[in-house]
Amino acid sequence: MLFFSFFKTLVDQEVTVELKNDIEIKGTLKSVDQFLNLKLDNISCANESKYPHLKSVKNLFIRGSTVRYVHMNANSVDCTLLQDASRREAMVQAQTSK
Amino acid sequence: MSFFGFDPSIPPHLQQGSGAPGTNESYDFQETYDGLGEEVDAFNEETFGDNKQETWNDPSAQNHAPVLKQNISYAQAASSTNNDDDFMNDLWGTSGAKDGAAQEVQQQQQQQQQQQQQAPQEKKFLSLEEIEAQLTAIDQQSQQQQHPVHPPPQFGYPGMMPPQFAYGMIPPAGYMPAPGQYGQFMGAPMPMPQMPPMGYQPQLQQQQQPVPQQQPVSQQQQQQQPPVQQQQPLQEAQPVVPQNAPQNAGVRRTSKVDSAQFPVLGAKGQSGQLHQQQFSGAQESAAPSSSPKNGGLPSPSSQPSFHSPQQRNHNNQNFHDLTPEQQAKLARRQEKVARIMKYSGIMNPRDKDYVTRFQLSQIVTEDPYNEDFYAQVFKVIHPKANSTHLQEHSQQHNSIAQAYLEQSGHRLGGRFKRADVALQRMQQQVQKAVTVAKERPKLTQYAREGALGKISFGNGKKPRQQLEIFSQAAQREIEKQEQLEKEAAVEASIAKGESDEAKPSDAQEDKSEFTKESTPVSKRPLSISAPSPSTSSTSKSYSKKDVMSILENIITKVMNLESASRLNPQDVDTKELWESLHILDQPSTSASTISEGEVNPFIQCLNHNKALKILPRLFKFLSREQILTIVTLIMSNLENLYVIKKGSYTTYPDKIVPLPILKLIETYTLTFSKVLMNSVQDFKFNEIIGLLVILIGHNNVSFVSTTKIGLSILTTLLSRAELIKGEGVNISATDLSEWSSCYDELFTSLESRISAIFPPNPQDIDDGSSRENYVWQFLATLSLGGKLSHQRIIVDEVRDEIFGVMNRAKSIDNSDIANLYKKQNLLNNLNMYLVVMGLVADESEIKELQS
């Protein structure tokens, strides 16, 4: 749930999603679910000349499993908090696995 | 052809949902009529019986029967001729009830019989063209028969099924999403509700004021455009009837719109209404579909295959005024809209609710601060950014989606006081879903015979892993570790209980004299001042791993305390945290000859960035005495800290401190120095003297003074002591004499080496760009505490540096505007020191301060 929780805070921010098939899509993150499926709005394709079929698409839904990277603005990440959150997650997992 | 008249070309959701069961049963009926019923029925139950009882909550599938029953009286149902099957009665009856005429039902059945004669093989859903073709055929027949009562338009479609299902199956044929969908979910303007009356009025006017050409044109159309013919004759023969029927439907619709605009959550009756709406919408749209032709527009562009009713009505009103070009354009646009509309409304509000609920129930949690920690705390820490998002969202009609995200980590509405009714209902449902899910036993993995791992099942919170491989070795390791921990805990408690008995064991080699000397934390920590170095012979060596696990443990404890204090700020038990710090576990001082690993673990922790970062949060939970103990420990171990040990330029041949250490120093100034400065505020005069004494006693002061952090620690302590002395409150004579002897000791250890506190390259520490210079700050503080003789010695030793700074200031040209501030900074920093002695310097000379 950590990444889900993390991505929730990125809603309405501009992100660049790099897919496993090399398409890079920049857009406003509108929604995310626990599978890290993403919904983007106002998208533009970074390598549009290579993938012109995305030219007419305005918003899309990306299945989480096809995402390779999500690039985001460093300012929108609270690193200390993220460290804490990951520790917490590890703690919870350690408790449940016992 | 499939056995059940199942059309594979129909989208699967329709097959599964509303379409399939109903459709099949309607076909069933036909076949029953033909005497084939029993066999088919048996199959039907087998195939589709489950469908209706499934927990899968398809609204349309579940709700058909109840809806229909609501809307029909059994008398009406009985009046229809063929009622060998109750369900069938309901189906037929509904359509009959809608128009309030059982006769029509009969008539329709007649028609169907005729149809069957014409197309006996027809048993599945037809493409629209086929339907149109058949319509034509039927219509011609019906015209010939001259029925006194015209069939209601919606029965005109063949296919042996009640029109509801026909429309459900073939969305483009005037299928129209329930209006609520648009309003609620898409945020799009809701075009439909006012539509039907508007659409009809012009049409009716046309009919009531007969245009001369109308008759011929429509006759033409009867030949040219077969699909329309069925309705046309009706309208011409009895214009009043069609007028009433659709309008009624329209009225009914608009009256229901209100309730439909809210998402329907679980109310069966309401969903029934929704369906009806869809149906009635379909009926209406069926009628207007013929209207362009009624209006006498022979242009081929007026036959765009299927448009939303809105489009069509629009068409009606304006088509007369348009040039052919515009009409073509309009047609193109309509086609485009039709393409877009094709899939809109595939899910009705209940479907969407269902999905939302399903998703919510998967991720909703009882404990948001643990499971959704990042998002929850982020919201608190960065409230501004968040609030603007919320506003945006409400503007974008995205509230449900937003609520979904917001709520997912939340205990259902506690914070959402303004959550609207729909949301609250959703929350209730989710709550139910959650409790049910909890009660259900969870099967997380399943070991298959011969498989290399176990097959795991995912859930919402922990998506499925492909394989869960758990090595036996790892398992044993964990068990061993737990065993050890238990033993250690037992030993620790024993050791604490009988502290005068040494307990040599491999887990905790020594609880150490250190512990014995000062186990009560409140005891004056100065008693630590001289831990005997003999302990080092038996002390435990901590590996890096040990230190890291201790450090992680500390951080965990801090976080636990933080969440505990959020719940109950008054009552926080810091005992565990204190124990996890291992402050008293292992005495060590900079002076004692021990290896790196034997240093007190907390001191070792302080070499790591993350320990420094947690310091401010850690100190919040500690009492003054505890902090004093820690600071005492640090003072006695200064040279064991990397930041001191490696932070002096003197240890490097090229006199330059390497970058990683510089970074560490930077972190120290940002964290440790600040924490120390805050803590020192609470210390008493004699405690500060004690700290200085320990610092001097256990460290090589002249070495410590060559490091930035060491010097700033000295500055902090000295300046605090000066401040307290200046206030002059509660200072005993003994304290004062202790202080002066302490100062003398410090000065002696620094004397003749004071110039060494300046790094060889002064530019490195102060090129004038910063407003502070820790070296001059220290000298100022030192001079402040000293007598005149001390100040003379200091000035003598740093004379070269003073002139050095003046020269550097001088070298910055006055015309160099960009760097002029550096000159000023250099002089300011220097003057901070000189002012103590009543002097002031500019770039060329030193003068006496004139006050």
Side-chain angles (χ1 to χ4, degrees):
Chain A
M1 291 291 272
L2 173 62
F3 282 95
F4 174 47
S5 190
F6 172 69
F7 276 108
K8 274 202 280 188
T9 64
L10 293 180
V11 165
D12 276 336
Q13 312 230 13
E14 183 116 305
V15 294
T16 306
V17 181
E18 195 179 322
L19 301 184
K20 285 176 181 168
N21 61 5
D22 275 347
I23 299 181
E24 253 180 77
I25 298 157
K26 189 175 173 187
T28 313
L29 183 67
K30 288 324 272 185
S31 190
V32 63
D33 68 7
Q34 72 266 37
F35 305 106
L36 306 185
N37 300 329
L38 307 172
K39 195 181 154 203
L40 297 185
D41 215 347
N42 288 329
I43 64 148
S44 61
C45 193
N47 32 16
E48 200 162 66
S49 53
K50 217 171 157 190
Y51 304 100
H53 57 282
L54 281 175
K55 227 169 185 170
S56 62
V57 182
K58 279 209 187 66
N59 50 42
L60 44 68
F61 178 88
I62 302 173
R63 185 182 155 95
S65 65
T66 62
V67 174
R68 183 179 287 142
Y69 298 118
V70 179
H71 307 266
M72 67 211 72
N73 189 342
N75 296 334
S76 51
V77 185
D78 186 329
C79 288
T80 319
L81 189 57
L82 194 56
Q83 283 173 9
D84 270 19
S86 40
R87 285 208 174 84
R88 217 164 265 275
E89 179 107 332
M91 253 157 62
V92 171
Q93 270 171 15
Q95 278 165 13
T96 51
S97 69
K98 263 177 194 172
Chain B
M1 179 202 291
S2 75
F3 186 66
F4 297 112
F6 210 66
D7 186 357
S9 67
I10 290 158
H13 59 272
L14 287 172
Q15 284 180 353
Q16 266 191 357
S18 58
T23 322
N24 280 295
E25 301 199 55
S26 70
Y27 268 113
D28 227 13
F29 165 71
Q30 281 303 321
E31 298 191 306
T32 310
Y33 208 62
D34 290 343
L36 299 167
E38 283 176 15
E39 190 189 339
V40 175
D41 268 342
F43 271 102
N44 251 356
E45 279 210 356
E46 198 178 307
T47 319
F48 295 103
D50 287 342
N51 240 359
K52 277 185 270 176
Q53 291 155 4
E54 241 172 18
T55 48
W56 194 78
N57 196 6
D58 179 19
S60 40
Q62 263 195 346
N63 289 310
H64 265 303
V67 171
L68 297 166
K69 274 172 188 149
Q70 280 168 4
N71 290 322
I72 184 184
S73 74
Y74 277 94
Q76 279 175 331
S79 69
S80 76
T81 47
N82 311 290
N83 47 1
D84 36 7
D85 180 317
D86 268 354
F87 188 62
M88 289 321 300
N89 280 342
D90 289 343
L91 290 180
W92 293 116
T94 313
S95 35
K98 269 181 189 167
D99 297 311
Q103 277 184 322
E104 287 170 1
V105 175
Q106 289 178 348
Q107 190 194 348
Q108 208 216 340
Q109 279 163 3
Q110 283 178 347
Q111 272 192 358
Q112 282 168 351
Q113 284 172 359
Q114 289 161 5
Q115 272 179 347
Q116 259 201 332
Q117 288 162 7
Q118 284 183 351
Q121 78 279 19
E122 169 205 336
K123 277 181 188 169
K124 63 171 184 177
F125 297 111
L126 302 165
S127 73
L128 228 87
E129 287 80 2
E130 286 174 298
I131 291 173
E132 284 175 354
Q134 284 174 359
L135 271 174
T136 324
I138 298 160
D139 213 56
Q140 279 162 355
Q141 280 189 347
S142 63
Q143 262 185 320
Q144 288 163 6
Q145 290 171 358
Q146 294 284 330
H147 286 299
V149 183
H150 70 91
Q154 67 264 35
F155 286 130
Y157 283 76
M160 315 307 168
M161 69 196 110
Q164 293 97 314
F165 298 116
Y167 288 115
M169 301 296 293
I170 310 162
Y175 176 81
M176 181 170 40
Q181 278 170 302
Y182 283 120
Q184 191 66 36
F185 288 93
M186 299 181 161
M190 205 169 60
M192 291 316 301
Q194 317 94 319
M195 267 272 323
M198 275 173 55
Y200 272 96
Q201 271 153 10
Q203 190 186 336
L204 291 168
Q205 279 172 1
Q206 283 168 15
Q207 286 170 352
Q208 283 163 358
Q209 306 163 359
V211 186
Q213 293 104 334
Q214 195 184 353
Q215 199 77 1
V217 168
S218 54
Q219 277 169 358
Q220 260 186 344
Q221 279 176 342
Q222 278 182 7
Q223 291 149 9
Q224 288 174 353
Q225 298 168 353
V228 199
Q229 286 173 346
Q230 192 215 350
Q231 279 142 13
Q232 269 185 347
L234 304 173
Q235 283 164 350
E236 282 161 21
Q238 296 191 339
V240 188
V241 176
Q243 179 186 350
N244 285 339
Q247 270 185 343
N248 279 345
V251 168
R252 204 193 301 162
R253 254 174 63 84
T254 41
S255 68
K256 275 170 191 164
V257 162
D258 284 341
S259 61
Q261 269 174 321
F262 299 102
V264 186
L265 290 156
K268 274 195 172 182
Q270 258 183 320
S271 87
Q273 283 183 339
L274 265 183
H275 280 281
Q276 248 191 343
Q277 267 173 18
Q278 286 181 358
F279 301 152
S280 57
Q283 288 160 14
E284 286 161 44
S285 59
S289 71
S290 64
S291 54
K293 291 112 192 184
N294 276 341
L297 283 170
S299 156
S301 65
S302 69
Q303 305 174 9
S305 48
F306 297 104
H307 303 311
S308 77
Q310 179 196 19
Q311 294 292 325
R312 254 176 255 125
N313 283 310
H314 191 66
N315 212 359
N316 282 347
Q317 290 170 326
N318 298 330
F319 243 49
H320 296 289
D321 318 330
L322 297 177
T323 66
E325 243 177 60
Q326 282 171 316
Q327 286 173 5
K329 205 174 160 189
L330 198 61
R332 257 200 314 264
R333 191 169 158 265
Q334 285 173 350
E335 202 187 348
K336 194 177 169 191
V337 170
R339 246 186 292 134
I340 294 168
M341 294 288 286
K342 193 173 168 194
Y343 298 110
S344 68
I346 272 179
M347 290 173 83
N348 66 21
R350 265 183 62 88
D351 293 338
K352 289 175 184 176
D353 264 355
Y354 172 72
V355 172
T356 312
R357 240 182 304 147
F358 196 92
Q359 288 188 299
L360 259 178
S361 71
Q362 291 235 306
I363 54 176
V364 82
T365 167
E366 296 273 329
D367 186 10
Y369 274 105
N370 260 330
E371 295 193 17
D372 193 31
F373 180 77
Y374 184 82
Q376 298 297 326
V377 178
F378 193 90
K379 252 187 289 173
V380 175
I381 296 179
H382 309 275
K384 265 189 184 173
N386 202 45
S387 67
T388 55
H389 291 168
L390 274 178
Q391 282 174 0
E392 265 177 48
H393 266 285
S394 55
Q395 282 164 8
Q396 288 170 4
H397 302 278
N398 205 0
S399 52
I400 290 274
Q402 181 64 17
Y404 159 69
L405 288 179
E406 298 265 326
Q407 298 274 318
S408 58
H410 246 283
R411 175 82 194 160
L412 305 175
R415 289 167 99 192
F416 274 80
K417 303 234 163 72
R418 297 195 311 132
D420 58 32
V421 181
L423 213 53
Q424 280 171 4
R425 278 212 244 157
M426 182 166 72
Q427 286 161 7
Q428 286 166 7
Q429 302 240 355
V430 169
Q431 213 155 8
K432 264 185 234 160
V434 170
T435 42
V436 169
K438 265 190 200 153
E439 283 160 10
R440 208 179 297 143
K442 271 180 193 152
L443 192 58
T444 52
Q445 51 175 229
Y446 163 73
R448 209 177 227 182
E449 206 178 333
L452 287 175
K454 287 172 177 171
I455 297 166
S456 62
F457 304 109
N459 59 26
K461 283 174 188 153
K462 197 179 167 217
R464 185 174 70 93
Q465 289 171 304
Q466 294 288 16
L467 265 184
E468 243 176 53
I469 298 174
F470 212 81
S471 85
Q472 299 271 310
Q475 180 71 48
R476 255 179 272 131
E477 194 60 36
I478 287 174
E479 277 165 11
K480 212 170 157 188
Q481 195 66 38
E482 277 170 1
Q483 194 65 28
L484 269 181
E485 270 171 25
K486 249 181 239 166
E487 279 170 20
V490 171
E491 272 162 27
S493 62
I494 292 171
K496 227 169 271 164
E498 331 161 13
S499 55
D500 45 6
E501 191 185 335
K503 274 272 172 184
S505 79
D506 45 12
Q508 296 244 331
E509 228 162 77
D510 63 330
K511 290 307 289 178
S512 78
E513 284 170 47
F514 196 103
T515 323
K516 287 171 225 155
E517 275 176 16
S518 55
T519 307
V521 176
S522 54
K523 196 171 166 184
R524 200 176 163 182
L526 293 186
S527 61
I528 311 167
S529 55
S532 78
S534 65
T535 48
S536 63
S537 57
T538 54
S539 67
K540 180 192 174 184
S541 180
Y542 291 88
S543 69
K544 188 176 180 192
K545 198 180 157 195
D546 295 334
V547 172
M548 283 309 206
S549 82
I550 287 172
L551 179 49
E552 277 304 322
N553 194 22
I554 293 172
I555 296 174
T556 309
K557 292 281 180 338
V558 169
M559 289 198 311
N560 283 342
L561 278 180
E562 278 173 343
S563 47
S565 69
R566 255 195 299 266
L567 294 175
N568 190 356
Q570 278 81 39
D571 183 30
V572 177
D573 182 16
T574 58
K575 194 162 168 282
E576 266 189 43
L577 172 67
W578 177 250
E579 279 165 8
S580 74
L581 292 178
H582 293 82
I583 296 290
L584 305 175
D585 279 10
Q586 181 139 321
S588 66
T589 67
S590 310
S592 57
T593 52
I594 50 170
S595 71
E596 245 177 57
E598 288 168 89
V599 175
N600 178 286
F602 184 75
I603 297 296
Q604 291 193 53
C605 287
L606 286 180
N607 295 329
H608 299 284
N609 257 327
K610 54 182 176 182
L612 294 169
K613 281 181 185 157
I614 199 107
L615 271 184
R617 294 159 66 187
L618 168 66
F619 271 46
K620 255 188 282 176
F621 290 106
L622 297 179
S623 65
R624 199 188 77 93
E625 283 74 23
Q626 286 170 333
I627 290 174
L628 186 57
T629 312
I630 293 175
V631 174
T632 310
L633 180 72
I634 293 170
M635 289 308 133
S636 65
N637 278 290
L638 271 186
E639 279 178 80
N640 285 332
L641 294 171
Y642 281 3
V643 76
I644 304 287
K645 188 159 63 179
K646 300 182 177 171
S648 167
Y649 69 91
T650 55
T651 54
Y652 300 97
D654 55 358
K655 308 287 181 204
I656 292 172
V657 181
L659 195 64
I661 300 296
L662 283 179
K663 276 190 180 158
L664 188 61
I665 291 172
E666 179 67 24
T667 316
Y668 261 79
T669 47
L670 288 176
T671 57
F672 176 80
S673 299
K674 281 183 181 161
V675 170
L676 181 69
M677 218 170 318
N678 284 336
S679 317
V680 165
Q681 304 291 320
D682 295 336
F683 293 167
K684 297 190 187 97
F685 192 54
N686 57 2
E687 287 166 346
I688 290 176
I689 295 171
L691 288 173
L692 274 171
V693 169
I694 290 168
L695 194 155
I696 296 162
H698 292 286
N699 298 282
N700 180 347
V701 177
S702 64
F703 176 79
V704 169
S705 68
T706 58
T707 64
K708 184 178 178 184
I709 296 301
L711 211 54
S712 66
I713 289 171
L714 279 172
T715 311
T716 308
L717 291 175
L718 283 175
S719 60
R720 179 67 191 152
E722 284 302 325
L723 267 175
I724 297 175
K725 206 164 63 125
E727 287 166 7
V729 189
N730 288 336
I731 298 175
S732 64
T734 46
D735 282 345
L736 275 179
S737 69
E738 256 184 61
W739 163 246
S740 60
S741 71
C742 168
Y743 182 88
D744 285 342
E745 208 180 324
L746 176 70
F747 199 84
T748 318
S749 54
L750 280 173
E751 202 177 353
S752 81
R753 298 189 190 98
I754 294 177
S755 64
I757 66 175
F758 288 94
N761 308 313
Q763 279 84 358
D764 288 351
I765 51 161
D766 185 12
D767 61 356
S769 56
S770 73
R771 295 188 162 272
E772 287 185 0
N773 182 326
Y774 68 89
V775 180
W776 292 120
Q777 274 179 355
F778 170 72
L779 287 179
T781 317
L782 192 66
S783 306
L784 197 63
K787 302 185 185 76
L788 199 61
S789 57
H790 294 133
Q791 290 177 355
R792 275 217 188 101
I793 295 169
I794 297 170
V795 172
D796 271 351
E797 289 202 28
V798 301
R799 187 182 306 268
D800 290 349
E801 298 296 335
I802 294 171
F803 287 117
V805 171
M806 287 166 65
N807 284 333
R808 280 165 60 203
K810 205 173 187 174
S811 70
I812 296 174
D813 195 62
N814 272 337
S815 60
D816 185 1
I817 306 292
N819 285 321
L820 211 54
Y821 76 100
K822 288 186 179 174
K823 175 188 236 166
Q824 201 53 48
N825 278 343
L826 283 172
L827 289 174
N828 282 349
N829 288 333
L830 172 62
N831 280 331
M832 185 169 57
Y833 161 65
L834 290 179
V835 163
V836 176
M837 290 165 298
L839 300 171
V840 67
D842 62 22
E843 59 190 82
S844 49
E845 57 174 345
I846 299 174
K847 292 177 286 193
E848 282 207 23
L849 188 64
Q850 298 175 353
S851 52

